Structures are given as structure tokens and as C-alpha cells.
Amino acid sequence: MRIFLCLGRWGWLLACLVVQAASEVTLPDAPWRQLGRTPSSAAAPFARGGHSATYCDGGLVVFGGRGPSGELYNDVWRWDLASAAWARMVLSAASEAAPRARAFHSAVCAGSELLVFGGSCGTECVLEDIYQLAAAG
């Protein structure tokens, strides 16, 4: 099996790498189905690109990104697979400051914690910070 890893920015393809994988993955024949923005789920994140969407602790955690008009976000949303609904994750007053709004960052789940690194905060603004967030639902 070959895996294609591609890097792009602002609609431009910058580089692709072909990786040989040791095993084969079989995808089911079942069709795609849309999960978000259902009538029972009126609250949902705004349209965005350059965000992270990370599976963590039974849900999909969406952080940051850039909106259609170029605005940057630092909000956190969680799609719960069990309830099939979006919920905005709000920091408590006792928590530390939220990360600066950003797009094109990296995120990974470690246990039930979301780790976010770097990204872009606008023209000629590149971040090198790292944040940790409890992503449990």
C-alpha cells in the first residue's frame, strides 16, 4: 500500500511524498454520511480552514483556524460520537489564558489531553508555543 503525504498552503501544493506501508487497509463499501449540522445540533463551529481536528477521548476536537473572511479563531469545539452533537468547550474562569488565535498549527491527543503547537497568527507571524487542554467530554 502507498500513502501519499502532501503539504500545501493557501491552495498551493508545495510537496508530496510517497511512503510504502507494510500492511494493507481495506475500506468498507458503506457510503459516506454527514454527521454535523443536523437539526438536533443547532450549535456548531463556524466554517473554517487551517484548523486542527483531532480524535481525542471519544470525540473529534476542533481548535482554531481561519474563517472565510480571514478572521482567526481560538475556539474549541467537540463532536461527541456517542451523542452525535457539537458542544463548545469553554474555559473556566480559574483556567489560564487561552492560546492566541491561530491557523495551520499542529495538534495531537495524548490520553485525554489535546496538545497544540505553533501555527500562523497572520501575515509574517509564526508561533512556536505549545498549549495543553483537557479534551474530555
Side-chain angles (χ1 to χ4, degrees), residues 74 91-100 102 129-133:
N74 69 339
L91 297 175
S92 69
S95 69
E96 293 187 27
R100 186 174 181 175
R102 65 191 65 211
D129 52 3
I130 186 166
Y131 282 85
Q132 179 180 15
L133 174 70

Side-chain angles (χ1 to χ4, degrees), residues 11-65:
W12 292 90
L13 183 62
L14 300 177
C16 282
L17 172 68
V18 179
V19 179
Q20 291 292 97
S23 62
E24 198 171 303
V25 176
T26 303
L27 298 175
D29 291 332
W32 284 92
R33 64 185 174 104
Q34 184 175 350
L35 300 176
R37 292 216 184 260
T38 60
S40 63
S41 174
F46 295 118
R48 64 191 67 208
H51 57 282
S52 58
T54 309
Y55 179 78
C56 197
D57 199 38
L60 180 71
V61 180
V62 173
F63 170 73

